[in-house]
Amino acid sequence: MLWTHIILLGQGAIMTVAISAVAITVGFALGVLVCAARLSPVAGLRGLGAAYVSFFRGVPLLVMLLLIYHLLPAIGIDVPGVVAAIIGLTLSTAAYQAENLRGGFLNVGTGLVEAARMVGLNARQILLRIRLPIALRLVFPAVVNEAIMLLKASSLVSVVGVADITRDAQNLASSTYRPIEAFTIAGAYYLLLNIVLSGGGSSLSRMLGRHRA
Amino acid sequence: MSEHAAAITLEGVGKSFGDNRVLTGIDLTIRHGEVTCLLGPSGSGKSTLLRCLAFLEEHTEGIIRIAGEPMGFAPAADGGRKRLPDAAIGRVRRNLGMVFQQFNLWPHMTALGNVAEALRLVRRMDRATAEARALAQLEHVGLAHRAGHYPSELSGGQQQRVAIARALAMEPKIVLFDEPTSSLDPELTGEVLSVMRGLAQEGMTMVVVTHEIGFAAQVGEHIVFLDQGRILLEGRAAEVFQAPRHPRLAQFLQTYVDRGASLVLQE
Amino acid sequence: MNFDPALILASLPDVATGMAITILMWLGGSFMGLALGLAVSIARRWGGRWARLVLDAYVGLMRGTPFLVQLFLLYYGGPYAGLDLEPVQAGLLGLTLYSAAYFAEIFRGGFEAIPRGHVEAAVCVGLTQAQIIRRILLPEMTLLVLPSLINMFTLLVKETAVLSIITVPELTMVITAIGSANFAFAEATFLLAVSYWAIVEITGLIGRFIEGRLGRYRLV
């Protein structure tokens, strides 16, 4: 009985991992663009980037998911819940990742950039060969942390009908009248995934740490 | 108590951090009214020795006595040592004032608050009395006009002078200085050293760990030179500096002379 | 999409009630969580081995699982364990237990960031352990972690939206209910998003103002 429940929620776990992985990856790429906008010399782009970060960090993820879920059909785009969920998670995490990246860039010592300039590297080379690699190493722990936060936050996609861990647990709870077991198993899944994530993250961090910036 | 009675005695004091031995077989007597300077290269154990005197580090061997009373450990009947209760350690510590390299002022209190805090909590003075006393102490180090400022608003030299006032407010018999000028910009060391010089002239018993060879030569009376956790030699300032017989000491002093330190001795 | 301003006007009283409950849940849960988190952090540090073990597990569990799952366990599982709570009660308790774990971590970091010398200086002038905790460590730690506390408070505003899922009649629940009653989901959720954005920006502004005022105590 218990084992069938655990296996049942395993399907939800696959969904949770899948949408989180897509969102964190696409969100990172989008975050790079938003960060570039925020650090751009063009005032308009800077303002746009700042507005993006402010809005997507200012609106609760749940509200964002509801908004996308209801807004897209209202303007004639019909998408399944999974797609709405991934869009919502991606847009939201991109705002956080953009801020992390910006912090990383601003933390690259000016001395390192000056040294690069003095040996004759041009602006593009300095960006690609010096600032970017150092910034990425600096933000890596923050990316892992964001992935953990996102994995937990993804539990909210259950409200737009995505069959993730939490949704499966809700179904299980109402069909078996055993909510304590159902939600404990759900919690254990999230905990396990987070432990794996943070364990993998810190060993990767150690590998990168050999050339710590 | 005669003026030159022992303020601090150490018998066979040693200290290890795990396998790492920092101090070995330290025998030392520090007299009342004298300025003792602990010198030595970095890693020689001089700061650890000073911190052992205040029992901020626990010495792993030997007995330390402050004003005649054992600090931290007392000799036991079986020839070993027994750990003294915290209350006894606190009582012995009342003989001591400590000035740290990093000042260690409490950042959430003003200069006046830093000096008055222990007067209120330990001496149980009411606020007005404690603050009046603290202000007098700040006056003594020339900082009465900065009493209402927070540490972050003071220069390093001023912070260290407040820290000295904080230590003196508790009326210690002995003041320990742990590299009091090492985290200061060179132009700020003078004000701290001059406060210390004044204190020495008032007859305060001082134990000073320092890299300021000039100060040690001018103000120090009793010089202790440590190397690799042992006392390499000790003596009166005049003997030690004018004829550094030991080659390690001569070499140590030379590096300072090379950097322009003057070795002008006290008259 | 036909947007009807009259609809919003008509439902303003309900929206105001929802807003009030959101703020109540936010401040109530946050401040109780703050107090509990402080107690947890003190017990973890000075409460001995068993307290540390148990509380480490508590903090790890609360931080390792989604808030929503915790709420479900409390609200739907509670009655099976003799804990029959109204949505508002469950929401407050849930938010308190959840935020306490994060606050405890913030406080732990604060305690660890205090230079050891500040304690040594207190020991040297004769302060007792209790005096050191009360007069040196707690105030200094508070100043150190204040920016993180303010940040946590602004994050918690957004977490209150999750309470709508267990039918706490706060802003999200009220507005989505209005939306579904009038078949105007998109308008309602858009209004909702903008409201939260405004709340979060305002709390952020207040937070930065408080931080600025305390700049004088900046730690060296």
Side-chain angles (χ1 to χ4, degrees):
Chain A
M1 167 86 166
L2 185 69
W3 282 107
T4 51
H5 291 169
I6 292 175
I7 292 162
L8 206 66
L9 258 65
Q11 295 169 354
I14 293 168
M15 176 61 91
T16 292
V17 169
I19 58 174
S20 299
V22 173
I24 202 83
T25 316
V26 181
F28 182 81
L30 185 56
V32 170
L33 293 180
V34 174
C35 172
R38 288 214 66 181
L39 296 172
S40 140
V42 184
L45 277 177
R46 274 206 306 276
L48 218 58
Y52 180 93
V53 169
S54 160
F55 183 68
F56 283 93
R57 293 204 314 170
V59 178
L61 181 62
L62 173 64
V63 176
M64 188 59 64
L65 290 170
L66 291 172
L67 182 62
I68 290 165
Y69 189 63
H70 294 303
L71 195 64
L72 288 182
I75 56 173
I77 307 169
D78 237 337
V79 293
V82 180
V83 176
I86 289 176
I87 293 173
L89 288 174
T90 302
L91 293 177
S92 160
T93 188
Y96 288 93
Q97 299 205 57
E99 277 306 271
N100 289 338
L101 275 167
R102 192 171 72 102
F105 263 107
L106 297 179
N107 271 327
V108 177
T110 49
L112 301 180
V113 175
E114 284 168 2
R117 195 171 295 145
M118 288 315 289
V119 293
L121 271 62
N122 65 33
R124 209 180 69 94
Q125 290 165 329
I126 291 175
L127 176 67
L128 292 179
R129 303 287 306 160
I130 310 292
R131 295 179 68 196
L132 193 63
I134 297 175
L136 287 181
R137 256 164 226 148
L138 284 175
V139 301
F140 182 75
V143 173
V144 174
N145 195 40
E146 176 59 21
I148 290 173
M149 300 301 281
L150 183 85
L151 193 86
K152 288 189 289 171
S154 75
S155 64
L156 294 174
V157 302
S158 56
V159 299
V160 293
V162 177
D164 73 328
I165 297 175
T166 304
R167 186 56 179 240
D168 279 358
Q170 275 177 280
N171 292 338
L172 190 65
S174 53
S175 65
T176 60
Y177 298 102
R178 306 291 289 272
I180 295 184
E181 288 86 339
F183 293 120
T184 303
I185 296 171
Y189 263 112
Y190 283 107
L191 200 61
L192 185 75
L193 291 173
N194 278 332
I195 290 170
V196 170
L197 247 180
S198 68
S202 47
S203 44
L204 259 173
S205 239
R206 262 196 304 280
M207 280 163 59
L208 291 171
R210 282 189 303 126
H211 21 221
R212 187 172 300 291
Chain B
M1 201 178 283
S2 77
E3 204 217 341
H4 279 272
I8 300 175
T9 57
L10 291 85
E11 293 162 32
V13 169
K15 168 76 184 166
S16 306
F17 293 98
D19 289 341
N20 182 20
R21 174 156 278 282
V22 195
L23 293 171
T24 312
I26 306 285
D27 294 307
L28 187 64
T29 301
I30 287 163
R31 293 175 192 289
H32 274 296
E34 269 189 0
V35 176
T36 301
C37 292
L38 305 182
L39 307 180
S42 43
S44 60
K46 53 194 191 304
S47 275
T48 306
L49 180 60
L50 193 80
R51 290 168 56 79
C52 283
L53 297 182
F55 209 61
L56 293 174
E57 304 287 356
E58 301 192 5
H59 50 297
T60 41
E61 296 144 33
I63 298 294
I64 296 174
R65 283 194 171 78
I66 310 283
E69 289 190 78
M71 178 54 137
F73 295 95
D78 62 2
R81 312 185 304 167
K82 69 171 179 13
R83 176 78 145 77
L84 294 168
D86 285 352
I89 295 167
R91 212 179 54 238
V92 178
R93 216 178 247 141
R94 283 204 178 192
N95 292 296
L96 303 172
M98 179 103 181
V99 176
F100 299 86
Q101 180 180 351
Q102 300 294 343
F103 329 136
N104 290 335
L105 291 183
W106 302 308
H108 55 295
M109 295 178 197
T110 61
L112 190 71
N114 265 278
V115 183
E117 181 71 5
L119 293 173
R120 293 179 63 192
L121 292 183
V122 181
R123 290 289 178 82
R124 302 276 165 208
M125 289 181 187
D126 62 68
R127 189 192 185 99
T129 317
E131 289 189 345
R133 178 85 164 271
L135 195 63
Q137 210 54 253
L138 284 174
E139 179 78 61
H140 196 76
V141 298
L143 284 175
H145 63 295
R146 306 290 270 173
H149 288 69
Y150 284 89
S152 61
E153 300 166 325
L154 300 173
S155 74
Q158 289 173 335
Q159 290 187 55
Q160 191 60 298
R161 283 147 70 197
V162 173
I164 293 174
R166 176 175 69 181
L168 293 178
M170 300 304 286
E171 300 177 308
K173 295 199 181 90
I174 305 154
V175 185
L176 311 177
F177 294 85
D178 187 4
E179 303 200 23
T181 57
S182 293
S183 20
L184 295 175
D185 293 336
E187 71 271 21
L188 299 177
T189 59
E191 59 187 87
V192 171
L193 292 177
S194 96
V195 167
M196 291 170 65
R197 202 171 281 128
L199 208 53
Q201 274 157 12
E202 291 163 23
M204 176 59 83
T205 311
M206 296 160 64
V207 185
V208 186
V209 170
T210 185
H211 287 124
E212 296 280 341
I213 299 296
F215 175 84
Q218 285 167 35
V219 184
E221 294 156 289
H222 179 197
I223 306 296
V224 179
F225 183 74
L226 284 102
D227 192 31
Q228 296 180 351
R230 296 169 189 275
I231 295 181
L232 208 59
L233 87 168
E234 64 167 313
R236 315 307 301 166
E239 311 161 8
V240 171
F241 285 117
Q242 271 169 351
R245 278 177 307 253
H246 201 287
R248 279 291 282 143
L249 176 62
Q251 181 197 357
F252 176 77
L253 292 178
Q254 190 58 45
T255 61
Y256 283 90
V257 175
D258 288 347
R259 280 188 247 151
S262 71
L263 287 182
V264 184
L265 289 183
Q266 219 173 0
E267 301 304 306
Chain C
M1 178 158 56
N2 46 352
F3 194 83
D4 186 1
L7 185 67
I8 293 171
L9 278 178
S11 45
L12 264 185
D14 288 343
V15 172
T17 315
M19 177 75 92
I21 291 179
T22 286
I23 291 174
L24 184 86
M25 301 298 287
W26 169 49
L27 289 180
S30 304
F31 276 107
M32 288 195 292
L34 186 76
L36 181 61
L38 181 62
V40 166
S41 71
I42 291 173
R44 269 170 113 188
R45 199 174 171 87
W46 289 287
R49 208 158 60 91
W50 285 107
R52 183 158 63 237
L53 219 64
V54 171
L55 294 172
D56 281 358
Y58 162 74
V59 171
L61 282 175
M62 300 312 276
R63 286 167 31 103
T65 55
F67 181 41
L68 180 60
V69 172
Q70 295 167 18
L71 279 180
F72 279 157
L73 191 59
L74 193 63
Y75 183 64
Y76 295 116
Y80 291 84
L83 193 70
D84 210 342
L85 296 172
E86 293 296 310
V88 169
Q89 296 170 322
L92 266 181
L93 181 60
L95 200 58
T96 301
L97 294 175
Y98 170 77
S99 63
Y102 286 87
F103 282 124
E105 273 301 276
I106 293 174
F107 288 131
R108 184 178 64 88
F111 279 127
E112 281 170 9
I114 296 174
R116 206 160 59 103
H118 293 189
V119 175
E120 290 179 349
V123 167
C124 281
V125 290
L127 268 59
T128 63
Q129 167 91 358
Q131 287 171 332
I132 292 172
I133 294 175
R134 194 163 46 83
R135 301 282 306 173
I136 310 294
L137 293 178
L138 280 179
E140 198 176 334
M141 182 274 292
T142 307
L143 287 176
L144 276 171
V145 302
L146 206 77
S148 313
L149 293 184
I150 291 170
N151 185 42
M152 189 65 209
F153 263 77
T154 54
L155 287 178
L156 286 170
V157 182
K158 291 186 286 171
E159 294 290 355
T160 60
V162 177
L163 299 177
S164 64
I165 303 177
I166 60 160
T167 68
V168 174
E170 47 67 79
L171 195 62
T172 302
M173 170 138 175
V174 167
I175 295 188
T176 48
I178 294 168
S180 73
N182 299 280
F183 301 103
F185 279 114
E187 291 90 336
T189 43
F190 184 72
L191 178 72
L192 192 57
V194 173
S195 318
Y196 275 109
W197 188 18
I199 297 173
V200 168
E201 282 296 318
I202 290 167
T203 53
L205 268 176
I206 296 171
R208 281 192 290 280
F209 174 75
I210 295 172
E211 262 176 70
R213 291 297 298 268
L214 288 162
R216 189 168 192 223
Y217 304 87
R218 200 186 51 254
L219 308 175
V220 274

